[in-house]
PDB file of all heavy atoms in Angstrom:
ATOM      1  N   LEU A  57     117.723  66.533  81.759  1.00  0.00           N
ATOM      2  CA  LEU A  57     118.053  67.062  83.081  1.00  0.00           C
ATOM      3  C   LEU A  57     118.109  68.591  83.074  1.00  0.00           C
ATOM      4  O   LEU A  57     118.393  69.200  84.094  1.00  0.00           O
ATOM      5  CB  LEU A  57     119.419  66.527  83.528  1.00  0.00           C
ATOM      6  CG  LEU A  57     119.525  65.022  83.737  1.00  0.00           C
ATOM      7  CD1 LEU A  57     120.983  64.619  83.958  1.00  0.00           C
ATOM      8  CD2 LEU A  57     118.680  64.599  84.921  1.00  0.00           C
ATOM      9  N   VAL A  58     117.830  69.199  81.923  1.00  0.00           N
ATOM     10  CA  VAL A  58     118.030  70.637  81.743  1.00  0.00           C
ATOM     11  C   VAL A  58     116.730  71.413  81.969  1.00  0.00           C
ATOM     12  O   VAL A  58     115.715  71.135  81.342  1.00  0.00           O
ATOM     13  CB  VAL A  58     118.554  70.939  80.323  1.00  0.00           C
ATOM     14  CG1 VAL A  58     118.778  72.418  80.137  1.00  0.00           C
ATOM     15  CG2 VAL A  58     119.825  70.160  80.048  1.00  0.00           C
ATOM     16  N   SER A  59     116.788  72.374  82.870  1.00  0.00           N
ATOM     17  CA  SER A  59     115.686  73.323  83.045  1.00  0.00           C
ATOM     18  C   SER A  59     115.940  74.484  82.093  1.00  0.00           C
ATOM     19  O   SER A  59     117.035  75.057  82.082  1.00  0.00           O
ATOM     20  CB  SER A  59     115.627  73.839  84.475  1.00  0.00           C
ATOM     21  OG  SER A  59     115.275  72.812  85.354  1.00  0.00           O
ATOM     22  N   LYS A  60     114.921  74.834  81.304  1.00  0.00           N
ATOM     23  CA  LYS A  60     115.073  75.897  80.312  1.00  0.00           C
ATOM     24  C   LYS A  60     114.316  77.150  80.764  1.00  0.00           C
ATOM     25  O   LYS A  60     113.178  77.061  81.201  1.00  0.00           O
ATOM     26  CB  LYS A  60     114.533  75.429  78.966  1.00  0.00           C
ATOM     27  CG  LYS A  60     115.305  74.255  78.407  1.00  0.00           C
ATOM     28  CD  LYS A  60     114.680  73.739  77.126  1.00  0.00           C
ATOM     29  CE  LYS A  60     115.436  72.552  76.606  1.00  0.00           C
ATOM     30  NZ  LYS A  60     115.096  71.316  77.241  1.00  0.00           N
ATOM     31  N   PRO A  61     114.942  78.309  80.612  1.00  0.00           N
ATOM     32  CA  PRO A  61     114.254  79.552  80.964  1.00  0.00           C
ATOM     33  C   PRO A  61     113.160  79.862  79.940  1.00  0.00           C
ATOM     34  O   PRO A  61     113.373  79.718  78.737  1.00  0.00           O
ATOM     35  CB  PRO A  61     115.372  80.600  80.913  1.00  0.00           C
ATOM     36  CG  PRO A  61     116.384  80.030  79.975  1.00  0.00           C
ATOM     37  CD  PRO A  61     116.295  78.542  80.128  1.00  0.00           C
ATOM     38  N   VAL A  62     111.965  80.227  80.430  1.00  0.00           N
ATOM     39  CA  VAL A  62     110.863  80.498  79.510  1.00  0.00           C
ATOM     40  C   VAL A  62     110.198  81.856  79.719  1.00  0.00           C
ATOM     41  O   VAL A  62     109.512  82.332  78.839  1.00  0.00           O
ATOM     42  CB  VAL A  62     109.782  79.392  79.579  1.00  0.00           C
ATOM     43  CG1 VAL A  62     110.331  78.083  79.042  1.00  0.00           C
ATOM     44  CG2 VAL A  62     109.244  79.202  80.978  1.00  0.00           C
ATOM     45  N   LYS A  63     110.373  82.458  80.858  1.00  0.00           N
ATOM     46  CA  LYS A  63     109.725  83.743  81.111  1.00  0.00           C
ATOM     47  C   LYS A  63     110.775  84.788  81.479  1.00  0.00           C
ATOM     48  O   LYS A  63     111.126  84.964  82.634  1.00  0.00           O
ATOM     49  CB  LYS A  63     108.689  83.614  82.231  1.00  0.00           C
ATOM     50  CG  LYS A  63     107.503  82.770  81.838  1.00  0.00           C
ATOM     51  CD  LYS A  63     106.458  82.742  82.928  1.00  0.00           C
ATOM     52  CE  LYS A  63     105.272  81.903  82.493  1.00  0.00           C
ATOM     53  NZ  LYS A  63     104.242  81.839  83.515  1.00  0.00           N
ATOM     54  N   TYR A  64     111.275  85.439  80.429  1.00  0.00           N
ATOM     55  CA  TYR A  64     112.241  86.519  80.597  1.00  0.00           C
ATOM     56  C   TYR A  64     112.090  87.469  79.412  1.00  0.00           C
ATOM     57  O   TYR A  64     111.419  87.151  78.435  1.00  0.00           O
ATOM     58  CB  TYR A  64     113.671  85.976  80.705  1.00  0.00           C
ATOM     59  CG  TYR A  64     114.155  85.237  79.477  1.00  0.00           C
ATOM     60  CD1 TYR A  64     114.864  85.892  78.474  1.00  0.00           C
ATOM     61  CD2 TYR A  64     113.892  83.882  79.305  1.00  0.00           C
ATOM     62  CE1 TYR A  64     115.299  85.221  77.340  1.00  0.00           C
ATOM     63  CE2 TYR A  64     114.334  83.206  78.177  1.00  0.00           C
ATOM     64  CZ  TYR A  64     115.035  83.871  77.211  1.00  0.00           C
ATOM     65  OH  TYR A  64     115.460  83.208  76.082  1.00  0.00           O
ATOM     66  N   ASP A  65     112.682  88.631  79.486  1.00  0.00           N
ATOM     67  CA  ASP A  65     112.584  89.637  78.428  1.00  0.00           C
ATOM     68  C   ASP A  65     113.482  89.232  77.252  1.00  0.00           C
ATOM     69  O   ASP A  65     114.677  89.511  77.241  1.00  0.00           O
ATOM     70  CB  ASP A  65     112.990  90.998  78.985  1.00  0.00           C
ATOM     71  CG  ASP A  65     112.806  92.126  77.991  1.00  0.00           C
ATOM     72  OD1 ASP A  65     112.534  91.855  76.798  1.00  0.00           O
ATOM     73  OD2 ASP A  65     112.926  93.289  78.415  1.00  0.00           O
ATOM     74  N   GLU A  66     112.883  88.550  76.261  1.00  0.00           N
ATOM     75  CA  GLU A  66     113.658  88.037  75.124  1.00  0.00           C
ATOM     76  C   GLU A  66     114.193  89.151  74.219  1.00  0.00           C
ATOM     77  O   GLU A  66     115.149  88.938  73.478  1.00  0.00           O
ATOM     78  CB  GLU A  66     112.820  87.046  74.321  1.00  0.00           C
ATOM     79  CG  GLU A  66     112.554  85.768  75.104  1.00  0.00           C
ATOM     80  CD  GLU A  66     111.831  84.715  74.287  1.00  0.00           C
ATOM     81  OE1 GLU A  66     112.143  84.574  73.084  1.00  0.00           O
ATOM     82  OE2 GLU A  66     110.958  84.044  74.851  1.00  0.00           O
ATOM     83  N   SER A  67     113.591  90.319  74.254  1.00  0.00           N
ATOM     84  CA  SER A  67     114.090  91.417  73.425  1.00  0.00           C
ATOM     85  C   SER A  67     115.371  92.013  74.007  1.00  0.00           C
ATOM     86  O   SER A  67     116.224  92.503  73.282  1.00  0.00           O
ATOM     87  CB  SER A  67     113.030  92.503  73.273  1.00  0.00           C
ATOM     88  OG  SER A  67     112.722  93.067  74.536  1.00  0.00           O
ATOM     89  N   LYS A  68     115.520  91.933  75.320  1.00  0.00           N
ATOM     90  CA  LYS A  68     116.664  92.514  76.012  1.00  0.00           C
ATOM     91  C   LYS A  68     117.715  91.463  76.403  1.00  0.00           C
ATOM     92  O   LYS A  68     118.893  91.780  76.550  1.00  0.00           O
ATOM     93  CB  LYS A  68     116.151  93.220  77.274  1.00  0.00           C
ATOM     94  CG  LYS A  68     117.190  93.866  78.133  1.00  0.00           C
ATOM     95  CD  LYS A  68     116.546  94.508  79.359  1.00  0.00           C
ATOM     96  CE  LYS A  68     117.586  94.948  80.360  1.00  0.00           C
ATOM     97  NZ  LYS A  68     116.999  95.439  81.604  1.00  0.00           N
ATOM     98  N   CYS A  69     117.273  90.204  76.560  1.00  0.00           N
ATOM     99  CA  CYS A  69     118.146  89.171  77.121  1.00  0.00           C
ATOM    100  C   CYS A  69     118.255  87.956  76.200  1.00  0.00           C
ATOM    101  O   CYS A  69     117.414  87.741  75.329  1.00  0.00           O
ATOM    102  CB  CYS A  69     117.598  88.715  78.473  1.00  0.00           C
ATOM    103  SG  CYS A  69     117.368  90.076  79.638  1.00  0.00           S
ATOM    104  N   GLU A  70     119.295  87.159  76.430  1.00  0.00           N
ATOM    105  CA  GLU A  70     119.471  85.910  75.693  1.00  0.00           C
ATOM    106  C   GLU A  70     119.864  84.802  76.655  1.00  0.00           C
ATOM    107  O   GLU A  70     120.505  85.047  77.676  1.00  0.00           O
ATOM    108  CB  GLU A  70     120.510  86.067  74.592  1.00  0.00           C
ATOM    109  CG  GLU A  70     121.915  86.335  75.089  1.00  0.00           C
ATOM    110  CD  GLU A  70     122.912  86.543  73.961  1.00  0.00           C
ATOM    111  OE1 GLU A  70     122.617  86.172  72.816  1.00  0.00           O
ATOM    112  OE2 GLU A  70     123.990  87.101  74.238  1.00  0.00           O
ATOM    113  N   LYS A  71     119.479  83.572  76.296  1.00  0.00           N
ATOM    114  CA  LYS A  71     119.847  82.427  77.133  1.00  0.00           C
ATOM    115  C   LYS A  71     121.116  81.797  76.565  1.00  0.00           C
ATOM    116  O   LYS A  71     121.319  81.739  75.351  1.00  0.00           O
ATOM    117  CB  LYS A  71     118.711  81.408  77.200  1.00  0.00           C
ATOM    118  CG  LYS A  71     118.307  80.817  75.879  1.00  0.00           C
ATOM    119  CD  LYS A  71     117.113  79.891  76.052  1.00  0.00           C
ATOM    120  CE  LYS A  71     116.678  79.341  74.700  1.00  0.00           C
ATOM    121  NZ  LYS A  71     115.495  78.496  74.801  1.00  0.00           N
ATOM    122  N   ILE A  72     121.980  81.346  77.469  1.00  0.00           N
ATOM    123  CA  ILE A  72     123.245  80.713  77.097  1.00  0.00           C
ATOM    124  C   ILE A  72     123.298  79.346  77.782  1.00  0.00           C
ATOM    125  O   ILE A  72     123.118  79.257  79.000  1.00  0.00           O
ATOM    126  CB  ILE A  72     124.450  81.569  77.528  1.00  0.00           C
ATOM    127  CG1 ILE A  72     124.387  82.931  76.839  1.00  0.00           C
ATOM    128  CG2 ILE A  72     125.760  80.850  77.232  1.00  0.00           C
ATOM    129  CD1 ILE A  72     125.412  83.924  77.314  1.00  0.00           C
ATOM    130  N   PHE A  73     123.533  78.293  76.975  1.00  0.00           N
ATOM    131  CA  PHE A  73     123.576  76.936  77.511  1.00  0.00           C
ATOM    132  C   PHE A  73     125.004  76.563  77.897  1.00  0.00           C
ATOM    133  O   PHE A  73     125.943  76.824  77.155  1.00  0.00           O
ATOM    134  CB  PHE A  73     123.049  75.931  76.483  1.00  0.00           C
ATOM    135  CG  PHE A  73     123.038  74.519  76.990  1.00  0.00           C
ATOM    136  CD1 PHE A  73     122.222  74.149  78.042  1.00  0.00           C
ATOM    137  CD2 PHE A  73     123.846  73.560  76.414  1.00  0.00           C
ATOM    138  CE1 PHE A  73     122.202  72.855  78.517  1.00  0.00           C
ATOM    139  CE2 PHE A  73     123.837  72.255  76.875  1.00  0.00           C
ATOM    140  CZ  PHE A  73     123.019  71.909  77.934  1.00  0.00           C
ATOM    141  N   HIS A  74     125.155  75.925  79.070  1.00  0.00           N
ATOM    142  CA  HIS A  74     126.451  75.470  79.576  1.00  0.00           C
ATOM    143  C   HIS A  74     126.432  73.943  79.624  1.00  0.00           C
ATOM    144  O   HIS A  74     125.866  73.349  80.539  1.00  0.00           O
ATOM    145  CB  HIS A  74     126.720  76.046  80.967  1.00  0.00           C
ATOM    146  CG  HIS A  74     126.584  77.533  81.018  1.00  0.00           C
ATOM    147  ND1 HIS A  74     127.557  78.391  80.563  1.00  0.00           N
ATOM    148  CD2 HIS A  74     125.563  78.309  81.449  1.00  0.00           C
ATOM    149  CE1 HIS A  74     127.149  79.636  80.722  1.00  0.00           C
ATOM    150  NE2 HIS A  74     125.938  79.619  81.256  1.00  0.00           N
ATOM    151  N   GLN A  75     127.036  73.313  78.617  1.00  0.00           N
ATOM    152  CA  GLN A  75     127.035  71.852  78.485  1.00  0.00           C
ATOM    153  C   GLN A  75     127.653  71.164  79.703  1.00  0.00           C
ATOM    154  O   GLN A  75     127.159  70.142  80.162  1.00  0.00           O
ATOM    155  CB  GLN A  75     127.791  71.448  77.213  1.00  0.00           C
ATOM    156  CG  GLN A  75     127.874  69.960  76.979  1.00  0.00           C
ATOM    157  CD  GLN A  75     126.565  69.361  76.498  1.00  0.00           C
ATOM    158  OE1 GLN A  75     125.811  70.007  75.785  1.00  0.00           O
ATOM    159  NE2 GLN A  75     126.301  68.128  76.884  1.00  0.00           N
ATOM    160  N   GLU A  76     128.723  71.735  80.237  1.00  0.00           N
ATOM    161  CA  GLU A  76     129.439  71.091  81.341  1.00  0.00           C
ATOM    162  C   GLU A  76     128.601  70.991  82.622  1.00  0.00           C
ATOM    163  O   GLU A  76     128.812  70.093  83.437  1.00  0.00           O
ATOM    164  CB  GLU A  76     130.776  71.789  81.622  1.00  0.00           C
ATOM    165  CG  GLU A  76     130.681  73.240  82.068  1.00  0.00           C
ATOM    166  CD  GLU A  76     130.454  74.252  80.940  1.00  0.00           C
ATOM    167  OE1 GLU A  76     130.434  73.857  79.752  1.00  0.00           O
ATOM    168  OE2 GLU A  76     130.285  75.438  81.254  1.00  0.00           O
ATOM    169  N   THR A  77     127.637  71.896  82.805  1.00  0.00           N
ATOM    170  CA  THR A  77     126.781  71.860  84.000  1.00  0.00           C
ATOM    171  C   THR A  77     125.317  71.565  83.654  1.00  0.00           C
ATOM    172  O   THR A  77     124.466  71.544  84.549  1.00  0.00           O
ATOM    173  CB  THR A  77     126.855  73.194  84.766  1.00  0.00           C
ATOM    174  OG1 THR A  77     126.436  74.255  83.900  1.00  0.00           O
ATOM    175  CG2 THR A  77     128.256  73.447  85.291  1.00  0.00           C
ATOM    176  N   CYS A  78     125.036  71.374  82.375  1.00  0.00           N
ATOM    177  CA  CYS A  78     123.660  71.109  81.916  1.00  0.00           C
ATOM    178  C   CYS A  78     122.700  72.191  82.417  1.00  0.00           C
ATOM    179  O   CYS A  78     121.632  71.907  82.961  1.00  0.00           O
ATOM    180  CB  CYS A  78     123.182  69.726  82.369  1.00  0.00           C
ATOM    181  SG  CYS A  78     124.156  68.370  81.692  1.00  0.00           S
ATOM    182  N   SER A  79     123.104  73.435  82.249  1.00  0.00           N
ATOM    183  CA  SER A  79     122.284  74.538  82.752  1.00  0.00           C
ATOM    184  C   SER A  79     122.325  75.737  81.795  1.00  0.00           C
ATOM    185  O   SER A  79     123.191  75.826  80.930  1.00  0.00           O
ATOM    186  CB  SER A  79     122.782  74.969  84.134  1.00  0.00           C
ATOM    187  OG  SER A  79     124.099  75.471  84.042  1.00  0.00           O
ATOM    188  N   PHE A  80     121.352  76.634  81.986  1.00  0.00           N
ATOM    189  CA  PHE A  80     121.286  77.875  81.225  1.00  0.00           C
ATOM    190  C   PHE A  80     121.519  79.056  82.155  1.00  0.00           C
ATOM    191  O   PHE A  80     121.161  79.001  83.340  1.00  0.00           O
ATOM    192  CB  PHE A  80     119.887  78.072  80.608  1.00  0.00           C
ATOM    193  CG  PHE A  80     119.642  77.305  79.351  1.00  0.00           C
ATOM    194  CD1 PHE A  80     119.027  76.070  79.398  1.00  0.00           C
ATOM    195  CD2 PHE A  80     120.002  77.823  78.113  1.00  0.00           C
ATOM    196  CE1 PHE A  80     118.771  75.361  78.241  1.00  0.00           C
ATOM    197  CE2 PHE A  80     119.750  77.119  76.945  1.00  0.00           C
ATOM    198  CZ  PHE A  80     119.132  75.882  77.014  1.00  0.00           C
ATOM    199  N   THR A  81     122.089  80.116  81.614  1.00  0.00           N
ATOM    200  CA  THR A  81     122.052  81.420  82.264  1.00  0.00           C
ATOM    201  C   THR A  81     121.376  82.360  81.277  1.00  0.00           C
ATOM    202  O   THR A  81     121.397  82.130  80.065  1.00  0.00           O
ATOM    203  CB  THR A  81     123.457  81.958  82.617  1.00  0.00           C
ATOM    204  OG1 THR A  81     124.261  81.966  81.443  1.00  0.00           O
ATOM    205  CG2 THR A  81     124.113  81.126  83.691  1.00  0.00           C
ATOM    206  N   VAL A  82     120.765  83.392  81.799  1.00  0.00           N
ATOM    207  CA  VAL A  82     120.116  84.395  80.956  1.00  0.00           C
ATOM    208  C   VAL A  82     120.790  85.730  81.259  1.00  0.00           C
ATOM    209  O   VAL A  82     120.821  86.175  82.402  1.00  0.00           O
ATOM    210  CB  VAL A  82     118.592  84.461  81.227  1.00  0.00           C
ATOM    211  CG1 VAL A  82     117.946  85.510  80.328  1.00  0.00           C
ATOM    212  CG2 VAL A  82     117.955  83.089  81.012  1.00  0.00           C
ATOM    213  N   VAL A  83     121.365  86.327  80.203  1.00  0.00           N
ATOM    214  CA  VAL A  83     122.138  87.556  80.361  1.00  0.00           C
ATOM    215  C   VAL A  83     121.642  88.621  79.385  1.00  0.00           C
ATOM    216  O   VAL A  83     120.989  88.313  78.389  1.00  0.00           O
ATOM    217  CB  VAL A  83     123.648  87.308  80.114  1.00  0.00           C
ATOM    218  CG1 VAL A  83     124.214  86.343  81.145  1.00  0.00           C
ATOM    219  CG2 VAL A  83     123.903  86.798  78.706  1.00  0.00           C
ATOM    220  N   GLU A  84     121.991  89.857  79.695  1.00  0.00           N
ATOM    221  CA  GLU A  84     121.635  90.951  78.804  1.00  0.00           C
ATOM    222  C   GLU A  84     122.439  90.831  77.508  1.00  0.00           C
ATOM    223  O   GLU A  84     123.627  90.516  77.539  1.00  0.00           O
ATOM    224  CB  GLU A  84     121.908  92.303  79.461  1.00  0.00           C
ATOM    225  CG  GLU A  84     120.953  92.631  80.584  1.00  0.00           C
ATOM    226  CD  GLU A  84     121.157  94.030  81.134  1.00  0.00           C
ATOM    227  OE1 GLU A  84     122.014  94.800  80.600  1.00  0.00           O
ATOM    228  OE2 GLU A  84     120.442  94.376  82.087  1.00  0.00           O
ATOM    229  N   LYS A  85     121.772  91.094  76.380  1.00  0.00           N
ATOM    230  CA  LYS A  85     122.448  91.024  75.086  1.00  0.00           C
ATOM    231  C   LYS A  85     123.546  92.074  74.981  1.00  0.00           C
ATOM    232  O   LYS A  85     124.631  91.802  74.452  1.00  0.00           O
ATOM    233  CB  LYS A  85     121.439  91.223  73.948  1.00  0.00           C
ATOM    234  CG  LYS A  85     120.465  90.083  73.797  1.00  0.00           C
ATOM    235  CD  LYS A  85     119.439  90.387  72.708  1.00  0.00           C
ATOM    236  CE  LYS A  85     118.422  89.269  72.591  1.00  0.00           C
ATOM    237  NZ  LYS A  85     117.385  89.585  71.586  1.00  0.00           N
ATOM    238  N   ASP A  86     123.282  93.281  75.474  1.00  0.00           N
ATOM    239  CA  ASP A  86     124.239  94.376  75.372  1.00  0.00           C
ATOM    240  C   ASP A  86     125.320  94.337  76.452  1.00  0.00           C
ATOM    241  O   ASP A  86     126.357  94.995  76.313  1.00  0.00           O
ATOM    242  CB  ASP A  86     123.515  95.725  75.451  1.00  0.00           C
ATOM    243  CG  ASP A  86     122.603  95.958  74.254  1.00  0.00           C
ATOM    244  OD1 ASP A  86     122.859  95.347  73.186  1.00  0.00           O
ATOM    245  OD2 ASP A  86     121.636  96.729  74.385  1.00  0.00           O
ATOM    246  N   ASN A  87     125.069  93.591  77.539  1.00  0.00           N
ATOM    247  CA  ASN A  87     126.023  93.505  78.635  1.00  0.00           C
ATOM    248  C   ASN A  87     125.987  92.089  79.215  1.00  0.00           C
ATOM    249  O   ASN A  87     125.344  91.853  80.236  1.00  0.00           O
ATOM    250  CB  ASN A  87     125.698  94.540  79.722  1.00  0.00           C
ATOM    251  CG  ASN A  87     126.719  94.536  80.841  1.00  0.00           C
ATOM    252  OD1 ASN A  87     127.716  93.826  80.792  1.00  0.00           O
ATOM    253  ND2 ASN A  87     126.457  95.343  81.865  1.00  0.00           N
ATOM    254  N   PRO A  88     126.669  91.136  78.572  1.00  0.00           N
ATOM    255  CA  PRO A  88     126.614  89.733  79.001  1.00  0.00           C
ATOM    256  C   PRO A  88     127.117  89.483  80.426  1.00  0.00           C
ATOM    257  O   PRO A  88     126.894  88.411  80.970  1.00  0.00           O
ATOM    258  CB  PRO A  88     127.500  89.004  77.987  1.00  0.00           C
ATOM    259  CG  PRO A  88     127.558  89.910  76.807  1.00  0.00           C
ATOM    260  CD  PRO A  88     127.437  91.300  77.345  1.00  0.00           C
TER     261      PRO A  88
END
C-alpha cells in the first residue's frame, strides 16, 4: 500500500518511512 518517492534530489534529501501511516516524507538532510 506504500507509494515510494523515486524522483528527488538524493544528494540533498532523504526519505523517511512512517509505519503508522504507511507513507514516506522526503526532507532535507541538513534541515529535516
Side-chain angles (χ1 to χ4, degrees):
L57 296 171
V58 181
S59 293
K60 297 175 182 81
V62 293
K63 292 184 179 180
Y64 62 93
D65 185 350
E66 292 185 39
S67 63
K68 179 181 170 186
C69 305
E70 65 182 343
K71 61 184 178 183
I72 299 172
F73 181 65
H74 307 282
Q75 179 75 33
E76 63 280 356
T77 59
C78 298
S79 63
F80 280 95
T81 55
V82 180
V83 297
E84 289 185 3
K85 291 176 182 177
D86 294 336
N87 183 4

